Amino acid sequence: MTATPDLRTAQLASPDLLRSVFRRHAAGVAVITAPGETGPVGFTATSLTSVSAEPPMLSFGVGTGASSWPAISEARHVGVHILGEHQRELAATFARSGADRFGAPTSWREGPEGVPVLDDVLAWLVCRVVARVPAGDHRIVLAEVVLGDPAGTGRPLLYHQGRFTALRD
């Protein structure tokens, strides 16, 4: 059920307004990975978007203050992993500042182009970065799909109202 908008309670644009509105937007959860000078890097993303079918391209946003940004800013290739509802803890690990994201219990291997590929995900892609577009305190990374595997099983993990959750029937 939705309510008729009350224009008298509208708020001026602010970071808090944007966060509040997007907490109501359920989003799929992905982990983006890349090789880095001192080892693999990665972060949890809910900004993953399909951009083009021909050629197959996607985009995601990353904050320029994120610990992964220096490696992502230089990476020629990235990994994109679609998480399943059984991977809440993995999503939280990759979202947590200062976490050892690739230590136990994270299971991964080095994939094509040196990209870290996570195990047991619903689907994964290795993509070639084609552009990094400035967008406020973030960069929108455009990447062309090189190869991947959509054969994982299970249901997708979602992010809604500030927490990881699952689909309900």
Side-chain angles (χ1 to χ4, degrees):
M1 174 182 268
T2 60
T4 302
D6 183 350
L7 299 179
R8 295 170 297 171
T9 62
Q11 301 173 29
L12 291 175
S14 71
D16 286 339
L17 173 62
L18 186 67
R19 287 184 196 103
S20 293
V21 168
F22 272 87
R23 278 189 197 104
R24 296 179 177 275
H25 174 70
V29 180
V31 168
I32 309 298
T33 62
E37 279 189 24
T38 60
V41 301
F43 64 96
T44 300
T46 56
S47 61
L48 183 65
T49 304
S50 172
V51 172
S52 167
E54 191 58 44
M57 293 182 75
L58 56 82
S59 71
F60 59 87
V62 57
T64 56
S67 61
S68 298
W69 171 243
I72 299 289
S73 73
E74 302 279 330
R76 294 175 58 140
H77 292 85
V78 294
V80 176
H81 308 83
I82 307 301
L83 301 191
E85 64 185 0
H86 64 286
Q87 295 177 303
R88 291 177 195 207
E89 190 53 42
L90 182 68
T93 297
F94 276 83
R96 193 174 313 119
S97 180
D100 181 5
R101 296 173 178 154
F102 291 91
T106 302
S107 180
W108 65 282
R109 63 195 177 286
E110 185 175 313
E113 305 297 339
V115 171
V117 176
L118 302 176
D119 291 339
D120 200 29
V121 295
L122 296 187
W124 61 268
L125 298 166
V126 170
C127 303
R128 182 179 60 81
V129 175
V130 296
R132 294 170 187 87
V133 181
D137 62 356
H138 278 59
R139 295 296 179 267
I140 305 302
V141 177
L142 293 168
E144 185 174 355
V145 175
V146 175
L147 62 101
D149 184 355
T153 59
R155 294 162 50 107
L157 182 63
L158 300 178
Y159 189 73
H160 182 249
Q161 295 286 47
R163 66 185 184 91
F164 298 112
T165 188
L167 290 173
R168 286 185 270 183
D169 290 327

